[in-house]
Amino acid sequence: MSIHPSNIDPCDIRSHKFTALLSEPLGNKMLYKLPEIKTECMELCVTACEKFSQNNENAARMIKETMDKKFGPTWQVIVGEGYGFFIEHQVKSLLYMFFGGTTAIIVWKCA
Amino acid sequence: MKARAGADKKNAQPVPVGVNLQRRLSQAHRGSLTGYDDQEGGNMPANFIDDSNMLGRSEDQLKLTDAELNEEHTRILTARNPQAAENIIRYSYKDRIYKPIPHVDQLAVHYQMDSNLINKDSDDAKRQVTVDTATEGVEVATASVGTDAETATKEGEDEDEDKPKKTAGAGGKGKKLTNQFNFSERASQTYNNPCRNRETFVEQTPRAVFTDNVSQWSIFDAYNEDFEQQQKLKEKESKKHTLKKDDDRKKKFVPSDQQAGDEFAKFVRSKTANISLKILERMINLNTFDDIAQDFKYWEDAADEYREQQGSLLPLWVFQYDMVKKLSCTNLAWNTQYPDLFAASFGSYDFLKQSRGMFLIYSLKNPSFPENMFPTDSGVMSLDFHPKHPNLLCCGFYDGSVAVYNIADENKRPKYQSTARSGKHTDPVWQVRWQKDDLDSNLNFYSVSSDGRVVCWTLVKSDLMYTDIVQLKLDKPTTETDEGVPLTTLGCGTCFDFNKQQDYLFIVGTEEGKIHKCSKSYNNQFLDTFDAHHMAVYAVRWNTYHPKIFASCSADWTVKIWDINYKDPLFVYDLGSAVGDVNWAPYSSTVFAACTADGKVFVFDLNVNKYEPLTEQIVVQKKRTKLTHITFNHQFPILLAGDDRGNITTLKLSPNLRKKPKVKKGQEVPEGPEAENAKLDKILALIRDPDAAKNKPTTQAATTTS
């Protein structure tokens, strides 16, 4: 669906789009993971954030622990709404995604 | 104790008379503590009551009167050592006189025992304790060996000084009580295994750096982007659907095919790939037909030992090719240079069904596919390999033309081809045969055809020149037309063969059943004619060794063996069905094989059995296939049989069929053509009994066998 700006109040555009977009649970900014792990990890993040929608810390903890158990020893997870980062990660083990229009999740592995 | 107490013994009143209550110390038996005890056994029985001993005296005791006994003697106890001297005079150097020592030491040590305890509160003990605690404190503060040594030596000194002193029990809590004299700390060190450091450096896992800043507006922007991209995708998809699907597919297919095809074709046709592919193909074939290959090489029919007069044919490979399935095999020829290479020509014998033809080059090493195939416009009726140039092949076609091919050529066109102008036959060419190079060293070959001509073709530069050699004239009286022009009718030649020893001599078989003996030099006349068969003669063959014997086979079901000098056949065999081909074995002068239209192969050995075949075997797979040609391989003991379904069967001859005649021990085995000739001559002599010179052969001929 295309939203033509002419027939909608400009102030409403953003909110309209926003809410429209929010109907999809997440949009991916960048994925850089091994394909087998990618989908599982994404689903895990979605589950975690839905479960701990108020508490990012618990969500992050859940994600990190599950990832460690499943895929390997050291995963780092950041769940938040406003932060900057500069990380060094193992090649092909980085997931960077947005969820629910507000939270950004970054998961990476560094041995 | 009682003894001491009894020091005042004299005060005690002894009662000597009869009562043994008290005894004098000196008189009492030593060792007895109580007077009233019974003496223990074992000791001197001082209780021995005796008159002399009533008083307890010993015999040498001083005897005193009672008065004397009752005297009181005073004794005074003093603490003086009775042993010590009472007056010791010592010379005093100071006074220069002898002086008595005032005090004499009166101490008598009765018993001395060293103990190992000192009073806790005594000075010595206290001193010792302080020493010990001091050493402890030093040890705790510094762990150096030097101080330990000091304290050790210190302790040692203390030891020497306070020899009779012992360690105090108290020394601080938890301090070990050690025996200073007897205590020695012993330590032992176990062997420490030598340690080695090993280190290795692992490749670092590949890392990358990633950086970003997350904020609400960046998230929003990302969502927007994503949204727009999805919109674009949707539009594209809808556009795609409107395009024609076929075109897309076609476009997709053709380029990919071409691409793939080009690359692959290039690869396949490259020379190096060709060789390796060929080798690979042969290897695969060898694997597939492994057991056949083994049989070909090694299998000998063991049953042949038990049946002398019989042999068998083991079918080996069957050569088939799709494109010749409907054609008959018209001729088989082995290559002169490569014993595993043979050429098979295919065409149709049917007069009405004439279509294309083909000849294939097969190798025994690759039974599944021909090495080479040459399609032709009309059926190929015969072919022959040149003996000296194994790549040259001449063939005769159904349409009467002949051609020479170079099979090494890439293109499948003949090198030379006869045309209508250059003397091609007007009827099918049934047989072609290379001859020796002529005087100008040009290659030449002969052909015989149904138009009654035997023609010699010479390859001159790039042309094919023909020369009529013989015309097969019939003996029929010429019909007389009204105009009176005599027509010479010609017979139809079907086969010919050149004598191996005398090259100019050759025999021609005809459709009328006659066999003509001809010479290259005589054009118009036959040297001789044999009324051989009732129907068309399909093959005539000279014996490999014997210059005078030849065989012929015909559609009248018979195979006949002839001597060139005699009009009548030597042997006649009725095989029950039209005989397509007969051929002599290259290794023996008495073995020949024939194939018939009912799919059987017959192998005869005149040496073993003159009247019956050694083997009679059906070799075709389907019924009603006719065998059209049969040929021996020069090197291996195998036969090739071609049939009218386009199959060529290889058969291995069992040992009985390849026998050499038995020799007496000690004699050399005769080898070579002379021996073979002699062998045949012997047989012939047997037949031609001198008694009935002419009758015998006829009677022999009459006794036909099937």
Side-chain angles (χ1 to χ4, degrees):
Chain A
M1 66 183 207
S2 62
I3 301 160
H4 204 61
S6 59
N7 45 1
I8 301 176
D9 190 350
C11 306
D12 282 350
I13 291 173
R14 216 198 294 172
S15 57
H16 189 64
K17 266 192 190 171
F18 212 57
T19 47
L21 289 172
L22 284 180
S23 59
E24 326 156 12
L26 59 112
N28 294 326
K29 171 84 172 184
M30 172 174 167
L31 288 179
Y32 189 46
K33 226 186 222 327
L34 292 173
E36 310 93 51
I37 306 180
K38 181 174 90 178
T39 35
E40 268 193 63
C41 188
M42 264 169 58
E43 284 171 18
L44 166 70
C45 292
V46 170
T47 324
C49 287
E50 280 171 359
K51 190 167 167 191
F52 299 104
S53 45
Q54 284 86 33
N55 193 344
N56 285 344
E57 180 195 340
N58 284 348
R61 179 184 304 139
M62 176 183 160
I63 295 172
K64 144 96 184 167
E65 278 168 1
T66 325
M67 290 296 286
D68 275 356
K69 236 191 296 176
K70 274 194 201 168
F71 300 115
T74 40
W75 289 89
Q76 325 276 349
V77 179
I78 300 184
V79 176
E81 292 175 16
Y83 55 91
F85 56 86
F86 180 98
I87 56 162
E88 188 179 31
H89 67 93
Q90 223 167 298
V91 165
K92 296 256 174 164
S93 302
L94 172 82
L95 172 74
Y96 181 44
M97 55 183 273
F98 298 141
F99 174 75
T102 49
T103 38
I105 306 166
I106 178 163
V107 181
W108 77 97
K109 180 171 178 177
C110 192
Chain B
M1 285 165 300
K2 198 149 187 189
R4 290 211 180 120
D8 296 326
K9 57 183 183 270
K10 289 296 176 187
N11 293 334
Q13 300 278 335
V15 183
V17 182
V19 181
N20 244 356
L21 298 173
Q22 277 188 324
R23 301 208 191 114
R24 291 187 189 175
L25 178 64
S26 58
Q27 290 158 0
H29 176 66
R30 291 198 194 116
S32 72
L33 296 177
T34 57
Y36 295 113
D37 285 356
D38 282 337
Q39 296 293 338
E40 301 294 328
N43 286 331
M44 205 169 89
N47 214 8
F48 183 57
I49 298 171
D50 204 342
D51 276 349
S52 62
N53 226 2
M54 262 175 82
L55 301 175
R57 298 181 202 161
S58 60
E59 286 180 354
D60 52 354
Q61 194 176 347
L62 195 62
K63 289 196 168 71
L64 297 172
T65 59
D66 286 329
E68 282 176 356
L69 285 173
N70 287 333
E71 268 181 47
E72 285 191 9
H73 294 270
T74 7
R75 293 259 194 259
I76 302 165
L77 285 180
T78 58
R80 279 193 317 128
N81 185 359
Q83 315 288 346
E86 288 185 6
N87 40 357
I88 298 178
I89 310 290
R90 289 245 166 85
Y91 180 75
S92 156
Y93 285 93
K94 187 172 147 195
D95 298 329
R96 299 182 191 248
I97 50 167
Y98 284 95
K99 256 188 162 177
I101 292 177
H103 290 292
V104 178
D105 193 9
Q106 302 293 322
L107 180 69
V109 178
H110 293 281
Y111 175 70
Q112 179 171 346
M113 191 185 90
D114 294 336
S115 88
N116 51 8
L117 298 172
I118 48 173
N119 194 346
K120 255 196 318 192
D121 299 323
S122 70
D123 283 333
D124 283 331
K126 283 180 186 166
R127 220 179 344 139
Q128 186 150 346
V129 166
T130 50
V131 166
D132 285 344
T133 49
T135 55
E136 247 187 45
V138 168
E139 276 173 14
V140 167
T142 62
S144 67
V145 177
T147 43
D148 280 358
E150 280 177 21
T151 53
T153 49
K154 209 175 171 186
E155 276 196 38
E157 285 170 2
D158 281 347
E159 252 186 48
D160 288 339
E161 276 182 50
D162 315 328
K163 205 162 191 192
K165 305 250 172 52
K166 323 285 181 217
T167 16
K173 285 185 189 169
K175 181 167 128 39
K176 193 164 75 168
L177 300 177
T178 56
N179 178 348
Q180 258 195 346
F181 300 103
N182 273 342
F183 186 81
S184 67
E185 288 213 35
R186 293 188 67 163
S188 155
Q189 176 129 8
T190 56
Y191 182 66
N192 285 337
N193 285 328
C195 288
R196 184 182 283 185
N197 275 337
R198 297 191 73 161
E199 50 190 48
T200 170
F201 196 66
V202 177
E203 241 187 64
Q204 231 188 12
T205 49
R207 305 221 180 142
V209 170
F210 182 59
T211 172
D212 197 26
N213 194 28
V214 171
S215 47
Q216 292 299 298
W217 63 86
S218 58
I219 298 178
F220 180 76
D221 288 343
Y223 268 97
N224 268 354
E225 263 184 57
D226 193 40
F227 187 70
E228 280 163 25
Q229 273 184 4
Q230 283 187 11
Q231 298 293 71
K232 279 183 194 169
L233 279 173
K234 280 182 193 167
E235 283 177 15
K236 271 188 190 174
E237 279 176 20
S238 58
K239 272 188 197 169
K240 274 186 185 177
H241 284 302
T242 57
L243 282 176
K244 283 181 191 173
K245 289 178 190 173
D246 288 348
D247 281 0
D248 274 348
R249 275 197 220 142
K250 275 188 190 168
K251 279 181 197 168
K252 275 185 198 166
F253 273 5
V254 168
S256 62
D257 266 1
Q258 265 183 1
Q259 271 189 359
D262 280 346
E263 282 180 24
F264 194 61
K266 273 187 210 166
F267 167 71
V268 162
R269 280 182 202 140
S270 71
K271 278 203 174 169
T272 46
N274 215 357
I275 297 172
S276 12
L277 284 173
K278 201 171 209 174
I279 294 175
L280 193 64
E281 191 183 2
R282 288 207 178 165
M283 279 166 59
I284 294 172
N285 270 306
L286 194 63
N287 275 344
T288 324
F289 297 105
D290 181 48
D291 41 358
I292 296 181
Q294 301 279 349
D295 285 346
F296 162 71
K297 265 273 170 178
Y298 303 116
W299 187 81
E300 308 287 351
D301 196 353
D304 270 7
E305 290 178 18
Y306 304 110
R307 35 174 204 191
E308 268 199 26
Q309 307 244 321
Q310 282 184 357
S312 64
L313 299 167
L314 177 74
L316 299 173
W317 303 286
V318 174
F319 297 89
Q320 286 171 334
Y321 189 48
D322 278 341
M323 299 189 48
V324 297
K325 256 190 188 165
K326 293 181 188 161
L327 301 173
S328 317
C329 169
T330 53
N331 216 328
L332 298 164
W334 288 98
N335 192 315
T336 37
Q337 192 177 354
Y338 299 105
D340 65 300
L341 199 68
F342 67 92
S345 59
F346 293 90
S348 175
Y349 283 116
D350 201 339
F351 181 67
L352 298 167
K353 286 188 201 163
Q354 278 301 316
S355 63
R356 60 193 172 81
M358 190 176 277
F359 66 91
L360 307 171
I361 316 285
Y362 271 104
S363 164
L364 290 181
K365 295 177 191 166
N366 185 349
S368 48
F369 207 78
E371 298 289 313
N372 230 331
M373 41 173 252
F374 295 85
T376 56
D377 294 325
S378 76
V380 187
M381 289 292 117
S382 68
L383 47 72
D384 193 31
F385 273 108
H386 195 283
K388 298 267 170 57
H389 305 265
N391 59 326
L392 284 183
L393 203 121
C394 67
C395 48
F397 296 95
Y398 199 90
D399 62 3
S401 54
V402 292
V404 177
Y405 281 83
N406 180 359
I407 53 177
D409 245 352
E410 285 244 337
N411 65 343
K412 311 287 172 121
R413 311 286 315 152
K415 226 165 129 184
Y416 303 90
Q417 182 141 22
S418 70
T419 59
R421 273 180 291 145
S422 62
K424 93 176 171 77
H425 293 277
T426 48
D427 270 332
V429 177
W430 292 107
Q431 193 143 8
V432 289
R433 195 56 64 86
W434 285 103
Q435 291 301 306
K436 278 194 234 164
D437 291 353
D438 64 4
L439 297 169
D440 298 332
S441 65
N442 289 326
L443 304 167
N444 60 344
F445 65 94
Y446 281 68
S447 67
V448 67
S449 125
S450 281
D451 65 354
R453 286 159 52 213
V454 177
V455 178
C456 166
W457 304 85
T458 319
L459 275 68
V460 177
K461 290 188 188 171
S462 57
D463 269 340
L464 211 55
M465 310 267 293
Y466 83 100
T467 326
D468 264 3
I469 298 295
V470 166
Q471 288 190 336
L472 305 168
K473 295 201 187 94
L474 292 175
D475 285 341
K476 265 194 312 191
T478 56
T479 54
E480 287 189 3
T481 61
D482 295 335
E483 285 126 9
V485 176
L487 283 172
T488 48
T489 46
L490 296 172
C492 311
T494 51
C495 51
F496 67 169
D497 198 14
F498 289 83
N499 193 315
K500 298 194 177 18
Q501 281 79 20
Q502 294 149 328
D503 207 32
Y504 56 87
L505 196 64
F506 65 95
I507 38 174
V508 184
T510 63
E511 278 214 32
E512 296 79 34
K514 294 205 175 80
I515 298 180
H516 302 287
K517 171 171 141 187
C518 316
S519 159
K520 284 188 199 173
S521 340
Y522 289 97
N523 277 4
N524 298 323
Q525 242 189 349
F526 311 127
L527 298 176
D528 208 350
T529 308
F530 301 84
D531 283 321
H533 293 275
H534 306 293
M535 291 175 74
V537 180
Y538 281 148
V540 280
R541 303 264 182 198
W542 286 100
N543 189 305
T544 5
Y545 296 101
H546 204 286
K548 300 213 177 103
I549 307 293
F550 66 92
S552 70
C553 74
S554 151
D556 68 352
W557 300 7
T558 56
V559 172
K560 298 188 183 178
I561 313 289
W562 307 81
D563 186 320
I564 197 76
N565 300 323
Y566 292 90
K567 282 278 180 180
D568 291 314
L570 301 170
F571 299 96
V572 177
Y573 302 98
D574 188 336
L575 300 183
S577 165
V579 187
D581 198 2
V582 70
N583 220 327
W584 293 95
Y587 49 82
S588 166
S589 61
T590 51
V591 178
F592 64 92
C595 64
T596 62
D598 57 2
K600 286 194 191 163
V601 172
F602 294 81
V603 180
F604 291 83
D605 188 348
L606 297 174
N607 209 11
V608 174
N609 191 333
K610 289 195 269 286
Y611 307 114
E612 280 189 8
L614 293 191
T615 318
E616 177 187 329
Q617 189 168 330
I618 297 183
V619 297
V620 291
Q621 270 134 5
K622 286 190 183 167
K623 290 184 192 172
R624 290 197 228 147
T625 42
K626 305 177 202 164
L627 286 175
T628 50
H629 275 276
I630 191 159
T631 175
F632 283 84
N633 185 322
H634 296 284
Q635 213 172 349
F636 306 116
I638 54 175
L639 280 174
L640 276 185
D643 63 12
D644 68 343
R645 277 181 203 263
N647 303 329
I648 301 167
T649 320
T650 348
L651 303 157
K652 182 164 184 184
L653 297 162
S654 71
N656 265 354
L657 305 171
R658 325 182 229 129
K659 262 200 308 196
K660 308 256 170 147
K662 283 184 194 167
V663 202
K664 287 183 195 164
K665 284 185 191 174
Q667 270 189 354
E668 282 182 13
V669 180
E671 295 279 342
E674 299 84 31
E676 303 286 340
N677 287 347
K679 188 168 67 164
L680 199 50
D681 281 335
K682 216 170 45 171
I683 299 170
L684 301 176
L686 281 173
I687 300 167
R688 296 189 221 109
D689 204 359
D691 291 342
K694 287 237 172 145
N695 292 340
K696 255 284 166 113
T698 48
T699 50
Q700 291 286 2
T703 58
T704 56
T705 55
S706 65

